[in-house]
Amino acid sequence: MAASTPEFLSDERFINEHRKVFAMFMGRDGYPEEMSTEEFPRLQQTVKLDACPIAYLRLQRIGSRFALDRRKKMEIAQIYHKAGEHAYYGYCIAPGIKPE
């Protein structure tokens, strides 16, 4: 039986926090803001909670303004995952929930 998706993943407050932290981390690592804006929805649809980048690595990038090799895709997937961890912590702390 497949595990259900945690509710926080569809909460706008979490998504906005994740997007904000992801853009900040991408900028810190030298990627342009436009790239974080373009990549976030792709990552959101492919990497998901388990942080498995396989689907993202295989994703067709037709129409993308940024060419990425496998190494850069892996790096961006890791940034996305780390941003998700930070966003989750902020998401839980704001209303007083203790993160696990």
Side-chain angles (χ1 to χ4, degrees):
M1 178 162 54
S4 64
T5 302
E7 289 181 27
F8 74 90
L9 289 177
S10 60
D11 186 328
E12 266 317 299
R13 194 168 58 81
F14 172 75
I15 293 168
N16 291 336
E17 183 68 17
H18 193 181
R19 184 180 295 116
K20 182 178 78 172
V21 175
F22 177 69
M24 182 178 63
F25 284 6
M26 288 281 286
R28 174 201 66 190
D29 290 350
Y31 292 102
E33 184 177 344
E34 297 81 15
M35 182 182 276
S36 65
T37 302
E38 187 175 300
E39 292 305 311
F40 187 83
R42 290 182 179 129
L43 289 154
Q44 193 177 24
Q45 292 299 311
T46 58
V47 175
K48 304 198 192 251
L49 185 63
D50 61 4
C52 181
I54 293 171
Y56 178 65
L57 293 173
R58 295 179 180 160
L59 185 67
Q60 292 293 321
R61 301 183 52 77
I62 297 170
S64 176
R65 297 178 288 167
F66 304 96
L68 298 174
D69 60 22
R70 185 177 182 84
R71 184 187 60 76
K72 285 186 179 180
K73 286 181 187 178
M74 287 296 292
E75 186 175 287
I76 290 170
Q78 281 298 320
I79 293 169
Y80 177 82
H81 179 64
K82 291 293 181 190
E85 290 175 342
H86 285 264
Y88 180 71
Y89 184 79
Y91 172 81
C92 290
I93 294 300
I97 302 168
K98 183 177 180 181
E100 297 179 19

